[in-house]
Amino acid sequence: MSRLRALVALAALVVAGGLVAIIPATAASAAACAASWQSSAVYTGGAQVSHNGRNYQAKWWTQSEAPPGTTGVWQDLGACGGGTTPPPTGSCNHPNWVAGTWYATGSIVRYTNGLYYIAEHDNPGYDPVISTWYWEPYTCGGTPPTNPPTNPGGFVVSEAQFNQMFPSRNSFYTYSGLVAALSAYSAFTRTGSATVQRQEAAAFLANVHHETGGLVHVVEQNTANYPHYCDPGQPYGCPAGQAAYYGRGPIQLSWNFNYNAAGNALGLPLLTNPWLVQNDAAVAWKTAIWYWMTQNGPGSMTANNAMVTGAGFGETIRSINGSIECNGGNPAQVQSRVTRYQQFIGILGVSAGANLYC
């Protein structure tokens, strides 16, 4: 034992059948570094990055806050810098995967485990080893799939992204209902470049989130307002009853004249049966898209025009609530909508564009 110096101190003695085996111990190596943090990238809860020789994991959505940050969003996972698994043999030379970066179908990335993955569906940087719906292993020398699958109805927001945007939504507001409603207006989120289409979808859903508390409320909560929404001066009056035209659905459709106009446009008996909006998810989504596509409201243009012409997100707020919020009417409410829009465009992996405020 006297000959065993420092190395012996690091060895483990295994006694078996009277034989002593000396197994040299090795110092624990540091964890491999995750992909480097990027100031422009959007990171969602669970995303891991490395920064200044340490790994971090995001607790919730974040952008631009360098780890370790000041808000508590980053969890310190410890020092990194250990060896990484070598890439598979072959001629692959694809970029490292970065959480929060938009990846189109067919994109190929190198993950932190040294292996490659190919995107089967568009996604905002989901983890390849967790989101198997969006990624599958890729062998160097392989080719991207032909005729890659698309989201249902061609909608630019996937169901996973929708769920991420509305984690606590009322079960009434189904993704399938939203997709079914797209047939009502073919230009909705299908006009302009891919960036503009995603910006419009984010703007629509951000306003919807604000109006319904995150798609929690199907009907207006202040029942005292219900009789207020009947305008008896209209030639058709209020056949469903004076208190029947309260706010319903994703943009809280209200007033008898709006139910009448929406019903005429959509071919639905909403004037006589306004309850359809709170009983049929596709109808509810259609009324929201109808307003978005056709109504200026208190603004000077439709919300759709605001997004596809570059007037900006701020004009969508004006089209929905006008001076009640805009021009200093309620800056806190405006900021709430803008913040949600910025979160959603981050999920969809595009820039916010100009003129966010009204």
Side-chain angles (χ1 to χ4, degrees), residues 311-348:
F313 179 74
E315 288 304 310
T316 71
I317 303 173
R318 193 183 304 277
S319 296
I320 292 172
N321 248 7
S323 60
I324 294 175
E325 293 184 16
C326 297
N327 304 325
N330 195 328
Q333 294 297 303
V334 172
Q335 185 60 59
S336 173
R337 293 181 194 263
V338 171
T339 298
R340 192 65 59 183
Y341 172 63
Q342 291 173 320
Q343 179 187 357
F344 286 2
I345 60 103
I347 291 173
L348 297 181

PDB file of all heavy atoms in Angstrom, residues 311-348:
ATOM      1  N   ALA A 311     -49.563  48.872 -42.041  1.00  0.00           N
ATOM      2  CA  ALA A 311     -49.974  49.943 -41.125  1.00  0.00           C
ATOM      3  C   ALA A 311     -49.610  49.589 -39.693  1.00  0.00           C
ATOM      4  O   ALA A 311     -49.394  50.473 -38.860  1.00  0.00           O
ATOM      5  CB  ALA A 311     -51.468  50.210 -41.262  1.00  0.00           C
ATOM      6  N   GLY A 312     -49.575  48.301 -39.391  1.00  0.00           N
ATOM      7  CA  GLY A 312     -49.051  47.858 -38.099  1.00  0.00           C
ATOM      8  C   GLY A 312     -50.087  47.412 -37.094  1.00  0.00           C
ATOM      9  O   GLY A 312     -51.295  47.666 -37.220  1.00  0.00           O
ATOM     10  N   PHE A 313     -49.575  46.730 -36.079  1.00  0.00           N
ATOM     11  CA  PHE A 313     -50.427  46.152 -35.046  1.00  0.00           C
ATOM     12  C   PHE A 313     -51.261  47.207 -34.332  1.00  0.00           C
ATOM     13  O   PHE A 313     -52.409  46.953 -33.939  1.00  0.00           O
ATOM     14  CB  PHE A 313     -49.562  45.399 -34.032  1.00  0.00           C
ATOM     15  CG  PHE A 313     -50.336  44.772 -32.911  1.00  0.00           C
ATOM     16  CD1 PHE A 313     -51.103  43.641 -33.121  1.00  0.00           C
ATOM     17  CD2 PHE A 313     -50.300  45.317 -31.635  1.00  0.00           C
ATOM     18  CE1 PHE A 313     -51.830  43.062 -32.084  1.00  0.00           C
ATOM     19  CE2 PHE A 313     -51.019  44.739 -30.591  1.00  0.00           C
ATOM     20  CZ  PHE A 313     -51.790  43.616 -30.813  1.00  0.00           C
ATOM     21  N   GLY A 314     -50.717  48.399 -34.149  1.00  0.00           N
ATOM     22  CA  GLY A 314     -51.446  49.454 -33.453  1.00  0.00           C
ATOM     23  C   GLY A 314     -52.788  49.765 -34.095  1.00  0.00           C
ATOM     24  O   GLY A 314     -53.766  50.072 -33.393  1.00  0.00           O
ATOM     25  N   GLU A 315     -52.850  49.671 -35.423  1.00  0.00           N
ATOM     26  CA  GLU A 315     -54.106  49.962 -36.112  1.00  0.00           C
ATOM     27  C   GLU A 315     -55.141  48.859 -35.902  1.00  0.00           C
ATOM     28  O   GLU A 315     -56.332  49.108 -36.029  1.00  0.00           O
ATOM     29  CB  GLU A 315     -53.855  50.189 -37.602  1.00  0.00           C
ATOM     30  CG  GLU A 315     -53.167  51.508 -37.917  1.00  0.00           C
ATOM     31  CD  GLU A 315     -53.938  52.703 -37.370  1.00  0.00           C
ATOM     32  OE1 GLU A 315     -55.160  52.790 -37.620  1.00  0.00           O
ATOM     33  OE2 GLU A 315     -53.320  53.553 -36.696  1.00  0.00           O
ATOM     34  N   THR A 316     -54.698  47.647 -35.590  1.00  0.00           N
ATOM     35  CA  THR A 316     -55.686  46.607 -35.267  1.00  0.00           C
ATOM     36  C   THR A 316     -56.362  46.925 -33.945  1.00  0.00           C
ATOM     37  O   THR A 316     -57.554  46.648 -33.772  1.00  0.00           O
ATOM     38  CB  THR A 316     -55.038  45.206 -35.197  1.00  0.00           C
ATOM     39  OG1 THR A 316     -54.217  45.082 -34.027  1.00  0.00           O
ATOM     40  CG2 THR A 316     -54.192  44.919 -36.430  1.00  0.00           C
ATOM     41  N   ILE A 317     -55.616  47.502 -33.023  1.00  0.00           N
ATOM     42  CA  ILE A 317     -56.204  47.906 -31.737  1.00  0.00           C
ATOM     43  C   ILE A 317     -57.240  49.003 -31.978  1.00  0.00           C
ATOM     44  O   ILE A 317     -58.338  48.984 -31.402  1.00  0.00           O
ATOM     45  CB  ILE A 317     -55.120  48.399 -30.774  1.00  0.00           C
ATOM     46  CG1 ILE A 317     -54.049  47.335 -30.560  1.00  0.00           C
ATOM     47  CG2 ILE A 317     -55.735  48.812 -29.435  1.00  0.00           C
ATOM     48  CD1 ILE A 317     -52.860  47.797 -29.748  1.00  0.00           C
ATOM     49  N   ARG A 318     -56.904  49.948 -32.840  1.00  0.00           N
ATOM     50  CA  ARG A 318     -57.836  51.046 -33.134  1.00  0.00           C
ATOM     51  C   ARG A 318     -59.119  50.514 -33.769  1.00  0.00           C
ATOM     52  O   ARG A 318     -60.221  51.008 -33.482  1.00  0.00           O
ATOM     53  CB  ARG A 318     -57.167  52.059 -34.060  1.00  0.00           C
ATOM     54  CG  ARG A 318     -57.919  53.382 -34.168  1.00  0.00           C
ATOM     55  CD  ARG A 318     -57.241  54.332 -35.158  1.00  0.00           C
ATOM     56  NE  ARG A 318     -55.861  54.568 -34.801  1.00  0.00           N
ATOM     57  CZ  ARG A 318     -55.455  55.467 -33.887  1.00  0.00           C
ATOM     58  NH1 ARG A 318     -56.365  56.178 -33.229  1.00  0.00           N
ATOM     59  NH2 ARG A 318     -54.185  55.645 -33.634  1.00  0.00           N
ATOM     60  N   SER A 319     -59.003  49.503 -34.628  1.00  0.00           N
ATOM     61  CA  SER A 319     -60.177  48.944 -35.288  1.00  0.00           C
ATOM     62  C   SER A 319     -61.092  48.207 -34.312  1.00  0.00           C
ATOM     63  O   SER A 319     -62.277  48.047 -34.574  1.00  0.00           O
ATOM     64  CB  SER A 319     -59.737  47.978 -36.403  1.00  0.00           C
ATOM     65  OG  SER A 319     -59.034  48.669 -37.414  1.00  0.00           O
ATOM     66  N   ILE A 320     -60.526  47.767 -33.207  1.00  0.00           N
ATOM     67  CA  ILE A 320     -61.322  47.025 -32.225  1.00  0.00           C
ATOM     68  C   ILE A 320     -61.877  47.939 -31.142  1.00  0.00           C
ATOM     69  O   ILE A 320     -63.058  47.855 -30.789  1.00  0.00           O
ATOM     70  CB  ILE A 320     -60.471  45.907 -31.596  1.00  0.00           C
ATOM     71  CG1 ILE A 320     -60.154  44.847 -32.654  1.00  0.00           C
ATOM     72  CG2 ILE A 320     -61.181  45.262 -30.410  1.00  0.00           C
ATOM     73  CD1 ILE A 320     -59.168  43.798 -32.205  1.00  0.00           C
ATOM     74  N   ASN A 321     -61.060  48.843 -30.622  1.00  0.00           N
ATOM     75  CA  ASN A 321     -61.509  49.651 -29.481  1.00  0.00           C
ATOM     76  C   ASN A 321     -61.308  51.147 -29.628  1.00  0.00           C
ATOM     77  O   ASN A 321     -61.676  51.901 -28.727  1.00  0.00           O
ATOM     78  CB  ASN A 321     -60.822  49.166 -28.200  1.00  0.00           C
ATOM     79  CG  ASN A 321     -61.814  48.522 -27.238  1.00  0.00           C
ATOM     80  OD1 ASN A 321     -62.974  48.330 -27.582  1.00  0.00           O
ATOM     81  ND2 ASN A 321     -61.371  48.201 -26.045  1.00  0.00           N
ATOM     82  N   GLY A 322     -60.726  51.601 -30.729  1.00  0.00           N
ATOM     83  CA  GLY A 322     -60.650  53.027 -31.008  1.00  0.00           C
ATOM     84  C   GLY A 322     -60.099  53.864 -29.874  1.00  0.00           C
ATOM     85  O   GLY A 322     -59.146  53.489 -29.192  1.00  0.00           O
ATOM     86  N   SER A 323     -60.731  55.013 -29.644  1.00  0.00           N
ATOM     87  CA  SER A 323     -60.239  55.976 -28.650  1.00  0.00           C
ATOM     88  C   SER A 323     -60.421  55.499 -27.218  1.00  0.00           C
ATOM     89  O   SER A 323     -59.881  56.102 -26.298  1.00  0.00           O
ATOM     90  CB  SER A 323     -60.945  57.322 -28.837  1.00  0.00           C
ATOM     91  OG  SER A 323     -62.342  57.182 -28.677  1.00  0.00           O
ATOM     92  N   ILE A 324     -61.167  54.429 -27.026  1.00  0.00           N
ATOM     93  CA  ILE A 324     -61.282  53.874 -25.667  1.00  0.00           C
ATOM     94  C   ILE A 324     -59.905  53.476 -25.161  1.00  0.00           C
ATOM     95  O   ILE A 324     -59.593  53.615 -23.973  1.00  0.00           O
ATOM     96  CB  ILE A 324     -62.244  52.676 -25.640  1.00  0.00           C
ATOM     97  CG1 ILE A 324     -63.673  53.140 -25.955  1.00  0.00           C
ATOM     98  CG2 ILE A 324     -62.200  51.967 -24.295  1.00  0.00           C
ATOM     99  CD1 ILE A 324     -64.662  52.007 -26.058  1.00  0.00           C
ATOM    100  N   GLU A 325     -59.058  53.016 -26.079  1.00  0.00           N
ATOM    101  CA  GLU A 325     -57.696  52.640 -25.700  1.00  0.00           C
ATOM    102  C   GLU A 325     -56.642  53.524 -26.365  1.00  0.00           C
ATOM    103  O   GLU A 325     -55.626  53.855 -25.756  1.00  0.00           O
ATOM    104  CB  GLU A 325     -57.432  51.166 -26.057  1.00  0.00           C
ATOM    105  CG  GLU A 325     -58.262  50.194 -25.233  1.00  0.00           C
ATOM    106  CD  GLU A 325     -57.926  48.739 -25.528  1.00  0.00           C
ATOM    107  OE1 GLU A 325     -56.862  48.471 -26.131  1.00  0.00           O
ATOM    108  OE2 GLU A 325     -58.717  47.861 -25.143  1.00  0.00           O
ATOM    109  N   CYS A 326     -56.870  53.881 -27.623  1.00  0.00           N
ATOM    110  CA  CYS A 326     -55.854  54.597 -28.398  1.00  0.00           C
ATOM    111  C   CYS A 326     -55.801  56.090 -28.050  1.00  0.00           C
ATOM    112  O   CYS A 326     -56.672  56.607 -27.347  1.00  0.00           O
ATOM    113  CB  CYS A 326     -56.116  54.418 -29.887  1.00  0.00           C
ATOM    114  SG  CYS A 326     -55.981  52.703 -30.438  1.00  0.00           S
ATOM    115  N   ASN A 327     -54.751  56.742 -28.558  1.00  0.00           N
ATOM    116  CA  ASN A 327     -54.546  58.182 -28.322  1.00  0.00           C
ATOM    117  C   ASN A 327     -54.518  58.521 -26.839  1.00  0.00           C
ATOM    118  O   ASN A 327     -55.041  59.549 -26.414  1.00  0.00           O
ATOM    119  CB  ASN A 327     -55.635  59.002 -29.028  1.00  0.00           C
ATOM    120  CG  ASN A 327     -55.706  58.718 -30.512  1.00  0.00           C
ATOM    121  OD1 ASN A 327     -54.687  58.481 -31.151  1.00  0.00           O
ATOM    122  ND2 ASN A 327     -56.907  58.727 -31.064  1.00  0.00           N
ATOM    123  N   GLY A 328     -53.962  57.617 -26.046  1.00  0.00           N
ATOM    124  CA  GLY A 328     -53.857  57.861 -24.616  1.00  0.00           C
ATOM    125  C   GLY A 328     -55.072  57.475 -23.823  1.00  0.00           C
ATOM    126  O   GLY A 328     -55.120  57.698 -22.606  1.00  0.00           O
ATOM    127  N   GLY A 329     -56.087  56.864 -24.474  1.00  0.00           N
ATOM    128  CA  GLY A 329     -57.318  56.500 -23.777  1.00  0.00           C
ATOM    129  C   GLY A 329     -57.097  55.503 -22.653  1.00  0.00           C
ATOM    130  O   GLY A 329     -57.657  55.641 -21.571  1.00  0.00           O
ATOM    131  N   ASN A 330     -56.291  54.496 -22.914  1.00  0.00           N
ATOM    132  CA  ASN A 330     -55.968  53.499 -21.890  1.00  0.00           C
ATOM    133  C   ASN A 330     -54.653  52.827 -22.287  1.00  0.00           C
ATOM    134  O   ASN A 330     -54.654  51.711 -22.825  1.00  0.00           O
ATOM    135  CB  ASN A 330     -57.079  52.459 -21.743  1.00  0.00           C
ATOM    136  CG  ASN A 330     -56.935  51.649 -20.455  1.00  0.00           C
ATOM    137  OD1 ASN A 330     -55.837  51.398 -19.985  1.00  0.00           O
ATOM    138  ND2 ASN A 330     -58.069  51.225 -19.900  1.00  0.00           N
ATOM    139  N   PRO A 331     -53.543  53.481 -22.026  1.00  0.00           N
ATOM    140  CA  PRO A 331     -52.240  52.947 -22.465  1.00  0.00           C
ATOM    141  C   PRO A 331     -51.902  51.589 -21.861  1.00  0.00           C
ATOM    142  O   PRO A 331     -51.191  50.802 -22.480  1.00  0.00           O
ATOM    143  CB  PRO A 331     -51.247  54.020 -22.022  1.00  0.00           C
ATOM    144  CG  PRO A 331     -51.962  54.813 -20.972  1.00  0.00           C
ATOM    145  CD  PRO A 331     -53.404  54.782 -21.345  1.00  0.00           C
ATOM    146  N   ALA A 332     -52.401  51.302 -20.672  1.00  0.00           N
ATOM    147  CA  ALA A 332     -52.104  50.010 -20.058  1.00  0.00           C
ATOM    148  C   ALA A 332     -52.725  48.874 -20.863  1.00  0.00           C
ATOM    149  O   ALA A 332     -52.121  47.806 -21.022  1.00  0.00           O
ATOM    150  CB  ALA A 332     -52.612  49.971 -18.617  1.00  0.00           C
ATOM    151  N   GLN A 333     -53.950  49.090 -21.362  1.00  0.00           N
ATOM    152  CA  GLN A 333     -54.601  48.074 -22.176  1.00  0.00           C
ATOM    153  C   GLN A 333     -53.889  47.896 -23.515  1.00  0.00           C
ATOM    154  O   GLN A 333     -53.731  46.775 -24.010  1.00  0.00           O
ATOM    155  CB  GLN A 333     -56.067  48.442 -22.399  1.00  0.00           C
ATOM    156  CG  GLN A 333     -56.916  48.415 -21.142  1.00  0.00           C
ATOM    157  CD  GLN A 333     -56.990  47.021 -20.532  1.00  0.00           C
ATOM    158  OE1 GLN A 333     -57.406  46.077 -21.181  1.00  0.00           O
ATOM    159  NE2 GLN A 333     -56.561  46.903 -19.287  1.00  0.00           N
ATOM    160  N   VAL A 334     -53.463  49.007 -24.092  1.00  0.00           N
ATOM    161  CA  VAL A 334     -52.693  48.935 -25.339  1.00  0.00           C
ATOM    162  C   VAL A 334     -51.417  48.136 -25.119  1.00  0.00           C
ATOM    163  O   VAL A 334     -51.058  47.259 -25.904  1.00  0.00           O
ATOM    164  CB  VAL A 334     -52.371  50.347 -25.867  1.00  0.00           C
ATOM    165  CG1 VAL A 334     -51.398  50.279 -27.043  1.00  0.00           C
ATOM    166  CG2 VAL A 334     -53.649  51.070 -26.277  1.00  0.00           C
ATOM    167  N   GLN A 335     -50.720  48.436 -24.033  1.00  0.00           N
ATOM    168  CA  GLN A 335     -49.471  47.727 -23.742  1.00  0.00           C
ATOM    169  C   GLN A 335     -49.713  46.245 -23.537  1.00  0.00           C
ATOM    170  O   GLN A 335     -48.901  45.406 -23.950  1.00  0.00           O
ATOM    171  CB  GLN A 335     -48.801  48.324 -22.509  1.00  0.00           C
ATOM    172  CG  GLN A 335     -47.425  47.726 -22.201  1.00  0.00           C
ATOM    173  CD  GLN A 335     -46.449  47.930 -23.346  1.00  0.00           C
ATOM    174  OE1 GLN A 335     -46.169  49.059 -23.742  1.00  0.00           O
ATOM    175  NE2 GLN A 335     -45.923  46.826 -23.890  1.00  0.00           N
ATOM    176  N   SER A 336     -50.826  45.904 -22.924  1.00  0.00           N
ATOM    177  CA  SER A 336     -51.154  44.492 -22.723  1.00  0.00           C
ATOM    178  C   SER A 336     -51.283  43.770 -24.059  1.00  0.00           C
ATOM    179  O   SER A 336     -50.769  42.650 -24.234  1.00  0.00           O
ATOM    180  CB  SER A 336     -52.464  44.366 -21.933  1.00  0.00           C
ATOM    181  OG  SER A 336     -52.885  43.025 -21.862  1.00  0.00           O
ATOM    182  N   ARG A 337     -51.952  44.411 -24.999  1.00  0.00           N
ATOM    183  CA  ARG A 337     -52.110  43.798 -26.326  1.00  0.00           C
ATOM    184  C   ARG A 337     -50.755  43.688 -27.036  1.00  0.00           C
ATOM    185  O   ARG A 337     -50.448  42.668 -27.653  1.00  0.00           O
ATOM    186  CB  ARG A 337     -53.082  44.628 -27.172  1.00  0.00           C
ATOM    187  CG  ARG A 337     -54.523  44.631 -26.673  1.00  0.00           C
ATOM    188  CD  ARG A 337     -55.387  45.474 -27.604  1.00  0.00           C
ATOM    189  NE  ARG A 337     -56.683  45.792 -27.047  1.00  0.00           N
ATOM    190  CZ  ARG A 337     -57.815  45.124 -27.289  1.00  0.00           C
ATOM    191  NH1 ARG A 337     -57.790  44.073 -28.083  1.00  0.00           N
ATOM    192  NH2 ARG A 337     -58.955  45.498 -26.744  1.00  0.00           N
ATOM    193  N   VAL A 338     -49.961  44.747 -26.961  1.00  0.00           N
ATOM    194  CA  VAL A 338     -48.662  44.761 -27.633  1.00  0.00           C
ATOM    195  C   VAL A 338     -47.741  43.686 -27.062  1.00  0.00           C
ATOM    196  O   VAL A 338     -47.056  42.965 -27.797  1.00  0.00           O
ATOM    197  CB  VAL A 338     -48.005  46.148 -27.525  1.00  0.00           C
ATOM    198  CG1 VAL A 338     -46.561  46.112 -28.026  1.00  0.00           C
ATOM    199  CG2 VAL A 338     -48.809  47.184 -28.314  1.00  0.00           C
ATOM    200  N   THR A 339     -47.733  43.577 -25.749  1.00  0.00           N
ATOM    201  CA  THR A 339     -46.886  42.565 -25.108  1.00  0.00           C
ATOM    202  C   THR A 339     -47.275  41.169 -25.559  1.00  0.00           C
ATOM    203  O   THR A 339     -46.411  40.322 -25.839  1.00  0.00           O
ATOM    204  CB  THR A 339     -46.997  42.671 -23.580  1.00  0.00           C
ATOM    205  OG1 THR A 339     -46.529  43.969 -23.175  1.00  0.00           O
ATOM    206  CG2 THR A 339     -46.170  41.593 -22.896  1.00  0.00           C
ATOM    207  N   ARG A 340     -48.574  40.914 -25.648  1.00  0.00           N
ATOM    208  CA  ARG A 340     -49.029  39.595 -26.082  1.00  0.00           C
ATOM    209  C   ARG A 340     -48.653  39.360 -27.540  1.00  0.00           C
ATOM    210  O   ARG A 340     -48.232  38.260 -27.920  1.00  0.00           O
ATOM    211  CB  ARG A 340     -50.547  39.485 -25.903  1.00  0.00           C
ATOM    212  CG  ARG A 340     -51.058  38.059 -26.060  1.00  0.00           C
ATOM    213  CD  ARG A 340     -50.530  37.141 -24.979  1.00  0.00           C
ATOM    214  NE  ARG A 340     -50.901  37.603 -23.647  1.00  0.00           N
ATOM    215  CZ  ARG A 340     -50.520  37.013 -22.530  1.00  0.00           C
ATOM    216  NH1 ARG A 340     -49.726  35.951 -22.580  1.00  0.00           N
ATOM    217  NH2 ARG A 340     -50.897  37.493 -21.359  1.00  0.00           N
ATOM    218  N   TYR A 341     -48.789  40.397 -28.367  1.00  0.00           N
ATOM    219  CA  TYR A 341     -48.399  40.269 -29.781  1.00  0.00           C
ATOM    220  C   TYR A 341     -46.914  39.940 -29.908  1.00  0.00           C
ATOM    221  O   TYR A 341     -46.522  39.068 -30.689  1.00  0.00           O
ATOM    222  CB  TYR A 341     -48.731  41.564 -30.517  1.00  0.00           C
ATOM    223  CG  TYR A 341     -48.209  41.631 -31.935  1.00  0.00           C
ATOM    224  CD1 TYR A 341     -48.651  40.739 -32.905  1.00  0.00           C
ATOM    225  CD2 TYR A 341     -47.275  42.596 -32.309  1.00  0.00           C
ATOM    226  CE1 TYR A 341     -48.179  40.803 -34.210  1.00  0.00           C
ATOM    227  CE2 TYR A 341     -46.796  42.666 -33.606  1.00  0.00           C
ATOM    228  CZ  TYR A 341     -47.248  41.768 -34.554  1.00  0.00           C
ATOM    229  OH  TYR A 341     -46.771  41.832 -35.846  1.00  0.00           O
ATOM    230  N   GLN A 342     -46.089  40.615 -29.140  1.00  0.00           N
ATOM    231  CA  GLN A 342     -44.661  40.352 -29.186  1.00  0.00           C
ATOM    232  C   GLN A 342     -44.350  38.924 -28.758  1.00  0.00           C
ATOM    233  O   GLN A 342     -43.448  38.279 -29.309  1.00  0.00           O
ATOM    234  CB  GLN A 342     -43.917  41.358 -28.303  1.00  0.00           C
ATOM    235  CG  GLN A 342     -43.941  42.781 -28.858  1.00  0.00           C
ATOM    236  CD  GLN A 342     -43.351  43.792 -27.902  1.00  0.00           C
ATOM    237  OE1 GLN A 342     -43.582  43.721 -26.682  1.00  0.00           O
ATOM    238  NE2 GLN A 342     -42.599  44.744 -28.427  1.00  0.00           N
ATOM    239  N   GLN A 343     -45.079  38.424 -27.785  1.00  0.00           N
ATOM    240  CA  GLN A 343     -44.883  37.034 -27.370  1.00  0.00           C
ATOM    241  C   GLN A 343     -45.256  36.080 -28.499  1.00  0.00           C
ATOM    242  O   GLN A 343     -44.533  35.122 -28.793  1.00  0.00           O
ATOM    243  CB  GLN A 343     -45.724  36.718 -26.141  1.00  0.00           C
ATOM    244  CG  GLN A 343     -45.583  35.267 -25.687  1.00  0.00           C
ATOM    245  CD  GLN A 343     -46.556  34.896 -24.574  1.00  0.00           C
ATOM    246  OE1 GLN A 343     -47.307  35.726 -24.094  1.00  0.00           O
ATOM    247  NE2 GLN A 343     -46.537  33.650 -24.169  1.00  0.00           N
ATOM    248  N   PHE A 344     -46.378  36.346 -29.161  1.00  0.00           N
ATOM    249  CA  PHE A 344     -46.871  35.431 -30.179  1.00  0.00           C
ATOM    250  C   PHE A 344     -46.020  35.459 -31.440  1.00  0.00           C
ATOM    251  O   PHE A 344     -45.811  34.412 -32.065  1.00  0.00           O
ATOM    252  CB  PHE A 344     -48.330  35.743 -30.507  1.00  0.00           C
ATOM    253  CG  PHE A 344     -49.307  35.309 -29.436  1.00  0.00           C
ATOM    254  CD1 PHE A 344     -48.860  34.722 -28.261  1.00  0.00           C
ATOM    255  CD2 PHE A 344     -50.672  35.494 -29.589  1.00  0.00           C
ATOM    256  CE1 PHE A 344     -49.741  34.319 -27.263  1.00  0.00           C
ATOM    257  CE2 PHE A 344     -51.568  35.092 -28.616  1.00  0.00           C
ATOM    258  CZ  PHE A 344     -51.098  34.504 -27.448  1.00  0.00           C
ATOM    259  N   ILE A 345     -45.528  36.632 -31.834  1.00  0.00           N
ATOM    260  CA  ILE A 345     -44.654  36.633 -33.017  1.00  0.00           C
ATOM    261  C   ILE A 345     -43.341  35.926 -32.686  1.00  0.00           C
ATOM    262  O   ILE A 345     -42.701  35.348 -33.568  1.00  0.00           O
ATOM    263  CB  ILE A 345     -44.425  38.058 -33.573  1.00  0.00           C
ATOM    264  CG1 ILE A 345     -43.767  38.970 -32.548  1.00  0.00           C
ATOM    265  CG2 ILE A 345     -45.713  38.658 -34.101  1.00  0.00           C
ATOM    266  CD1 ILE A 345     -42.311  39.191 -32.776  1.00  0.00           C
ATOM    267  N   GLY A 346     -42.971  35.937 -31.409  1.00  0.00           N
ATOM    268  CA  GLY A 346     -41.794  35.177 -31.004  1.00  0.00           C
ATOM    269  C   GLY A 346     -42.021  33.685 -31.172  1.00  0.00           C
ATOM    270  O   GLY A 346     -41.153  32.960 -31.635  1.00  0.00           O
ATOM    271  N   ILE A 347     -43.193  33.220 -30.795  1.00  0.00           N
ATOM    272  CA  ILE A 347     -43.536  31.805 -30.948  1.00  0.00           C
ATOM    273  C   ILE A 347     -43.547  31.418 -32.426  1.00  0.00           C
ATOM    274  O   ILE A 347     -43.116  30.320 -32.806  1.00  0.00           O
ATOM    275  CB  ILE A 347     -44.892  31.509 -30.292  1.00  0.00           C
ATOM    276  CG1 ILE A 347     -44.772  31.619 -28.767  1.00  0.00           C
ATOM    277  CG2 ILE A 347     -45.417  30.136 -30.694  1.00  0.00           C
ATOM    278  CD1 ILE A 347     -46.091  31.504 -28.023  1.00  0.00           C
ATOM    279  N   LEU A 348     -43.999  32.331 -33.276  1.00  0.00           N
ATOM    280  CA  LEU A 348     -44.074  32.048 -34.710  1.00  0.00           C
ATOM    281  C   LEU A 348     -42.762  32.356 -35.436  1.00  0.00           C
ATOM    282  O   LEU A 348     -42.645  32.069 -36.636  1.00  0.00           O
ATOM    283  CB  LEU A 348     -45.223  32.834 -35.337  1.00  0.00           C
ATOM    284  CG  LEU A 348     -46.623  32.482 -34.823  1.00  0.00           C
ATOM    285  CD1 LEU A 348     -47.679  33.303 -35.539  1.00  0.00           C
ATOM    286  CD2 LEU A 348     -46.902  31.000 -34.981  1.00  0.00           C
TER     287      LEU A 348
END
